[in-house]
């Protein structure tokens, strides 16, 4: 028996039976169901209305063939996905991931977590996610464009500004969103806010590019202040990844007085004891899609180590995993704890394994789970949707201030829920429960057609 509560055990047994061979999805569901144990004691009607049985089953799951022609004239085939997980509180909302590791399990775990994350933002967005096993690495702009056009040629019939609003994730940034938007507009003859993360000249929001990384630091700042009476000033920080989330986490950490000493990509990590020169990283990653080891060409005093896992052996006060799922395991957690880490906040989705989370919590390390800590990206996507609906745009400062307030609100919402349900400071439980209760209420009032 994995659960104390037999009803939750039954729900999980069904999820396991229906989703065999999908370890990431089962991992995400198990963590959330564990958080519901204290809630069910106080709210037995959740069992009677079948809310939990329903919330673990996606409303719709779409897979499709994506054929495109490469630069050599060869036909290539990938698989496209969109999971429309839950629409109780708003249109489905969530990113698209392009990475060779994408499969049904990865898309479903991301879509499931998005339901709770989007609820935590306080904005009216349901949960969804999509993507493909297409690998943008090493592809020309023309190949990426043809892939995106083919992908949208199927996806467009399933989405819309009031139905489902995709955005970026791993491998999907401004370039891909532009190609996807152009094709949607052509197919439907309509210019609408059907995607977020758009370019600033065609409906994008200021500060969306920065939002996930900035939001992660606003969350971390509030967590340190409220739970430890501490701040980011003078802290040493390690950030995994060097993509969209990692870069703007690094920028905001430095602005708030911390020193980031290590970053990585899937090849390895750099260590710069003077503090990472972010202009160099931006030029490599945003300027020419290069590799992190090229940092040494500009900063020869830094070091590069092959293999991305070693980054967790670098001594730091704060660790911010911002690359991908399960990148920080029990062994990595042991090293961070031995080196005196005081806080971990997840910029990536589910980057810490369950074993790592348990170790942090047991050691008294502050732990900000992804659903809360990285919600700044989708929150600002929600603000982009608002601006598109108004046909108006706010200044960078206006969006950034709203983002800051949303992240502070998310922290307190999760922290208060952890206290209310008997495990003060357990933000994993607090975030899951706070996100869930709003969705559950909306589902209850809308009846049982879904
Ligand atoms: P990017 O594609 O911009 O960057 C991804 C980074 O992670 C790269 O440095 C990449 O290295 C590394 N990475 C990806 N896959 C792996 C892997 N299997 N092993 C090791 N390193 C890997 O993506 P984002 O920065 O947008 O996303 C990073 C994480 O943040 C993801 O978990 C995403 O779901 C999450 N997230 C993103 C949001 C957003 O707004 N973009 C919002 C909330 C969460 P390499 O280049 O070598 O592949
Ligand atoms: O995981 C995430 O929250 C994202 N990739 C952002 C989704 C969005 O719709 O902006």
């Amino acid at each position: 028996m994995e659960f104390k509560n037999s009803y939750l055990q039954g729900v999980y047994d069904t999820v396991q039976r229906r989703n065999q061979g999908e370890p990431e999805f089962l991992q995400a569901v198990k963590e959330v169901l564990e958080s519901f144990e204290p809630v069910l004691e106080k709210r037995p009607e959740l069992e009677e209305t079948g809310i939990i049985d329903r919330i673990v089953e996606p409303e719709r799951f779409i897979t499709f063939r994506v054929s495109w022609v490469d630069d050599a004239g060869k036909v290539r085939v990938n698989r496209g996905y969109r999971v429309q997980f839950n629409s109780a509180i708003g249109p489905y909302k969530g990113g698209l991931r392009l990475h060779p590791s994408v499969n049904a399990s990865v898309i479903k775990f991301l879509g499931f977590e998005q339901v709770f994350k989007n609820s935590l933002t306080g904005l009216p967005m349901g949960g969804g996610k999509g993507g493909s096993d297409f690998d943008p690495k090493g592809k020309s702009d023309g190949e990426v464009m043809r892939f995106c056009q083919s992908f949208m040629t199927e996806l467009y019939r399933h989405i819309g500004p009031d139905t489902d609003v995709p955005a970026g994730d791993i491998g999907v940034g401004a370039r891909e969103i532009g190609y996807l938007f152009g094709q949607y507009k052509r197919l439907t003859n309509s210019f609408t806010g059907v995607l977020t993360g758009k370019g600033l000249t065609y409906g994008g929001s200021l500060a969306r590019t920065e939002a996930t990384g900035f939001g992660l630091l606003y969350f971390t700042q509030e967590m340190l202040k409220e739970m430890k009476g501490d701040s980011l000033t003078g802290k040493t920080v390690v950030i995994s990844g060097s993509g969209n989330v990692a870069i703007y986490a690094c920028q905001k950490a430095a602005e708030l007085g911390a020193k980031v000493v290590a970053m990585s990509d899937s090849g390895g990590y750099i260590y710069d004891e003077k503090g990472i020169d972010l202009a160099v990283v931006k030029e490599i990653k945003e300027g020419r899609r290069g590799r992190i080891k090229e940092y040494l060409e500009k900063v020869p005093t830094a070091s590069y180590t092959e293999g991305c896992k070693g980054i967790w052996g670098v001594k730091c006060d704060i660790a911010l995993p911002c690359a991908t799922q399960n990148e920080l395991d029990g062994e990595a957690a042991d090293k961070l704890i031995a080196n005196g880490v005081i806080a971990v906040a997840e910029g990536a989705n589910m980057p810490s394994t369950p074993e790592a989370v348990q170790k942090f919590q047991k050691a008294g390390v502050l732990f900000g789970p992804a659903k809360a800590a990285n919600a700044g990206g989708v929150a600002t996507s929600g603000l982009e949707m608002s601006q598109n609906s108004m046909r108006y745009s706010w200044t960078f400062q206006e969006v950034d201030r709203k983002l800051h307030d949303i992240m502070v609100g998310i922290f307190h919402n999760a922290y208060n829920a952890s206290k209310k349900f008997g495990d003060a400071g357990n933000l994993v439980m607090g975030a899951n429960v706070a996100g869930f209760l709003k969705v559950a209420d909306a589902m209850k009032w809308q009846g049982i057609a879904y």
Side-chain angles (χ1 to χ4, degrees):
M1 287 286 277
E2 279 128 327
F3 295 88
K4 287 193 244 43
N5 181 296
S6 61
Y7 166 61
L8 288 174
Q9 184 67 48
V11 173
Y12 189 62
D13 288 344
T14 304
V15 174
Q16 278 188 303
R17 180 174 51 73
R18 284 208 184 114
N19 303 280
Q20 290 175 32
E22 299 192 357
E24 293 87 0
F25 180 52
L26 295 176
Q27 181 183 335
V29 170
K30 188 165 180 224
E31 182 212 275
V32 168
L33 293 183
E34 279 166 1
S35 298
F36 292 168
E37 303 245 26
V39 183
L40 274 173
E41 284 165 24
K42 293 194 179 178
R43 301 274 301 267
E45 86 280 6
L46 288 168
E47 181 175 343
E48 286 144 33
T49 49
I51 300 279
I52 300 175
D53 303 80
R54 287 189 276 154
I55 212 164
V56 295
E57 181 66 20
E59 289 175 13
R60 198 174 290 109
F61 184 56
I62 303 150
T63 69
F64 49 98
R65 182 174 70 207
V66 187
S67 314
W68 54 283
V69 180
D70 71 15
D71 286 346
K74 189 170 176 301
V75 176
R76 304 280 202 107
V77 178
N78 288 101
R79 181 173 290 179
Y81 300 90
R82 186 75 185 165
V83 66
Q84 299 182 328
F85 223 108
N86 194 298
S87 61
I89 64 169
Y92 308 108
K93 180 84 196 86
L96 296 171
R97 177 178 292 192
L98 299 182
H99 192 272
S101 63
V102 164
N103 56 33
S105 174
V106 168
I107 295 299
K108 277 156 66 180
F109 113 68
L110 290 164
F112 182 67
E113 298 221 315
Q114 202 81 42
V115 175
F116 305 92
K117 183 196 303 190
N118 293 2
S119 168
L120 281 170
T121 67
L123 302 173
M125 299 181 289
K129 201 84 189 192
S132 172
D133 58 2
F134 174 81
D135 186 359
K137 264 201 209 96
K139 302 287 192 303
S140 69
D141 286 352
E143 288 176 324
V144 171
M145 181 180 77
R146 291 193 294 280
F147 170 83
C148 287
Q149 290 174 338
S150 178
F151 185 86
M152 186 53 87
T153 301
E154 172 60 32
L155 186 68
Y156 88 96
R157 70 190 78 248
H158 307 290
I159 63 175
D162 296 314
T163 308
D164 184 356
V165 182
D169 194 80
I170 291 177
V172 177
R175 175 181 61 171
E176 292 74 19
I177 293 293
Y179 295 147
L180 291 162
F181 182 80
Q183 185 72 351
Y184 182 88
K185 183 163 63 76
R186 186 177 187 196
L187 289 166
T188 60
N189 195 29
S190 64
F191 192 114
T192 68
V194 69
L195 291 154
T196 59
K198 298 185 292 297
L200 297 177
T201 52
Y202 62 95
S205 173
L206 286 159
R208 174 62 187 90
T209 305
E210 293 83 356
T212 313
F214 279 21
L216 176 66
L217 270 296
Y218 296 147
F219 181 94
T220 306
Q221 187 180 36
E222 191 68 11
M223 178 169 77
L224 283 168
K225 185 176 98 185
E226 292 294 314
M227 295 175 73
K228 244 187 154 50
D230 207 341
S231 79
L232 284 154
T233 313
K235 298 291 186 300
T236 300
V237 179
V238 163
I239 300 179
S240 64
S242 47
N244 172 264
V245 179
I247 285 175
Y248 294 95
C250 181
Q251 180 169 324
K252 187 52 76 179
E255 282 174 21
L256 295 174
K259 181 165 83 163
V260 180
V261 295
M263 290 180 86
S264 63
D265 61 21
S266 58
Y269 70 92
I270 52 166
Y271 174 72
D272 187 344
E273 68 169 347
K274 296 198 301 292
I276 298 281
D277 184 341
L278 192 61
V280 174
V281 176
K282 281 187 181 173
E283 193 277 318
I284 296 167
K285 290 291 174 182
E286 297 186 331
R288 57 192 159 86
R289 299 177 192 278
R291 307 305 301 161
I292 199 73
K293 70 173 164 207
E294 293 161 37
Y295 186 83
L296 269 58
E297 291 164 18
K298 288 271 161 60
V299 188
T301 49
S303 64
Y304 175 75
T305 310
E306 287 286 337
C308 48
K309 284 243 154 108
I311 193 168
W312 306 120
V314 175
K315 185 174 165 51
C316 62
D317 304 308
I318 296 166
L320 305 174
C322 295
T324 195
Q325 64 272 2
N326 293 327
E327 55 164 314
L328 198 170
D329 58 15
E331 205 183 310
D334 284 337
K335 283 190 207 150
L336 285 165
I337 293 164
N339 281 330
V341 74
I342 59 169
V344 178
E346 298 185 317
N349 286 307
M350 205 169 77
S352 314
T353 64
E355 197 191 356
V357 178
Q358 231 173 28
K359 287 183 185 236
F360 290 136
Q361 290 181 331
K362 208 167 145 222
V365 175
L366 304 186
F367 183 76
K371 289 183 201 82
N374 75 28
V378 74
T380 307
S381 280
L383 300 176
E384 182 170 329
M385 290 166 73
S386 305
Q387 293 169 84
N388 292 165
S389 297
M390 288 190 289
R391 300 193 190 282
Y392 187 69
S393 38
W394 292 315
T395 63
F396 189 97
Q397 286 71 21
E398 282 173 295
V399 180
D400 189 35
R401 200 182 56 239
K402 290 182 204 298
L403 166 65
H404 177 270
D405 293 351
I406 289 170
M407 297 313 297
V408 168
I410 290 174
F411 168 79
H412 286 282
N413 203 356
Y415 193 30
N416 289 338
S418 77
K419 291 180 192 159
K420 183 167 173 197
F421 290 95
D423 194 0
N426 180 349
L427 300 179
V428 174
M429 185 269 268
N432 287 338
V433 170
F436 166 70
L437 288 175
K438 179 177 169 190
V439 178
D441 188 67
M443 286 174 75
K444 190 178 87 185
W445 287 106
Q446 289 174 47
I448 310 182
Y450 271 121

